[in-house]
Amino acid sequence: MRVLALLDGTLADPESPVVRVDDLGLLRGDGVFETVLVVDGRPRELAAHLDRLVASAAMLELPAPDRAAFDRAVGAVLDAWAGGRELVMRLVHTRGVEGGDGTPTGFVLGSEINPATLRHRADGIAAVTLERGFDEGLARRAPWLLLGAKSLSYAVNMAALREAERRGAADVLFTTSDGLVLEGPTSTVIAASDGILRTTPTALGILPGTTQAALFRAAERAGWVTKVESLRVADLRAADGVFLASSIRRITRVHTLDGEPLTDSAALHAELTALYESEY
Ligand code: PLP
């Protein structure tokens, strides 16, 4: 089941082409996107996702996404959805056609969630650390590299996931060349130890995660301490639990890192998942 809505709120056939071959989003990955979880007809963290879409677009110096139009298209997808109780909604905003008048291309596509993601949510995953090839100061020194923008140029992220698969794992934790933990190709890394939840600062050049933010809000209310500070791989090995968080996978536990088992965090995972769910 898939539902496609254009920004004027009309539905289109997801099996038929709607994007031109000279769209710069297609030719160069020159655009931004968001992936939003919908449960029982309610999108989670939609305002935060739209804020991040706007922020990413500003980093790419794209025209600002029309929030009202995206809201309308999201509503059209929700109204037409007749699939399962959860869906993944992709919001896409590109620079538009090459040599055109600068009008961005935008659409919202609702689809079923990949069954592997649901399995990983329940069972946890093995992950590997892979070097991302930059040091912790690069995001600040070189803003043109767009570190921390959710651009459509995800080929590197997808290649890293294939490398993980070659190494017998399901996911990746990127590290800086100076050994700090960054993020997953499509997730935020969270470590839990002694009542403290930790995640990496976005200043290192990673995305601000909406799922991590929601979990930290709920955890703080429940008495957890939350910290945003640099983490090393050794910190993950010493932690009570390591988790990858993102809209669609929610909170997924990492049970094995680089082939070595981590501390069993099944009970902690249940606790953090319940906290995250209490936000909705
Ligand atoms: N980091 C990257 C690179 C991502 O692609 C994503 C989501 O896809 C995240 C982090 C997690 O963000 P969110 O929790 O808002 O889905």
Side-chain angles (χ1 to χ4, degrees):
M1 168 91 200
R2 272 179 300 166
V3 176
L4 172 63
L6 308 180
L7 294 193
D8 62 2
T10 58
L11 295 178
D13 178 3
E15 304 282 324
S16 299
V18 290
V19 175
R20 281 173 48 164
V21 292
D22 55 357
D23 193 287
L24 289 162
L26 175 65
L27 291 179
R28 298 204 162 135
D30 197 356
V32 294
F33 76 109
E34 282 297 321
T35 304
V36 181
L37 176 66
V38 179
V39 184
D40 293 331
R42 291 172 49 219
R44 291 193 168 177
E45 304 297 328
L46 183 58
H49 281 289
L50 286 171
D51 287 348
R52 196 169 63 186
L53 189 74
V54 168
S56 297
M59 289 174 79
L60 271 73
E61 299 172 82
L62 288 167
D66 180 342
R67 289 182 83 111
F70 272 101
D71 271 331
R72 191 163 51 226
V74 164
V77 169
L78 296 179
D79 287 347
W81 182 257
R85 55 180 292 251
E86 283 193 56
L87 65 127
V88 40
M89 230 173 21
R90 291 202 186 85
L91 284 54
V92 176
H93 176 75
T94 85
R95 199 175 296 281
V97 297
E98 190 172 38
D101 65 2
T103 306
T105 301
F107 57 86
V108 175
L109 176 65
S111 331
E112 303 279 359
I113 296 178
N114 179 342
T117 305
L118 300 176
R119 260 196 326 275
H120 293 160
R121 256 193 214 165
D123 302 342
I125 51 158
V128 291
T129 53
L130 292 182
E131 202 194 319
R132 188 69 178 81
F134 58 78
D135 65 65
E136 65 172 307
L138 187 65
R140 203 179 47 252
R141 291 199 310 275
W144 55 88
L145 293 180
L146 304 178
L147 302 177
K150 196 164 169 69
S151 85
L152 286 170
S153 311
Y154 258 45
V156 166
N157 305 40
M158 298 301 108
L161 290 176
R162 290 193 296 276
E163 178 61 24
E165 205 176 316
R166 270 192 290 278
R167 297 182 187 200
D171 219 317
V172 173
L173 279 67
F174 280 130
T175 57
T176 61
S177 51
D178 34 358
L180 299 178
V181 176
L182 286 166
E183 62 185 344
T186 63
S187 62
T188 310
V189 179
I190 296 169
S193 294
D194 305 322
I196 304 175
L197 290 181
R198 290 190 169 80
T199 196
T200 299
T202 55
L204 263 62
I206 65 164
L207 281 191
T210 63
T211 314
Q212 168 268 319
L215 172 63
F216 275 29
R217 275 198 312 270
E220 281 165 21
R221 272 204 309 276
W224 283 77
V225 173
T226 63
K227 293 191 175 173
V228 178
E229 61 186 22
S230 300
L231 290 163
R232 295 194 167 270
V233 177
D235 298 324
L236 303 184
R237 294 212 169 283
D240 300 335
V242 177
F243 306 92
L244 294 183
S246 74
S247 300
I248 310 306
R249 65 165 60 70
R250 304 190 191 188
I251 319 280
T252 293
R253 127 186 113 88
V254 180
H255 55 59
T256 307
L257 188 61
D258 293 329
E260 299 285 327
L262 295 176
T263 309
D264 181 354
S265 62
L268 195 49
H269 174 248
E271 182 182 346
L272 295 180
T273 297
L275 280 175
Y276 163 74
E277 290 300 325
S278 72
E279 278 290 287
Y280 304 100

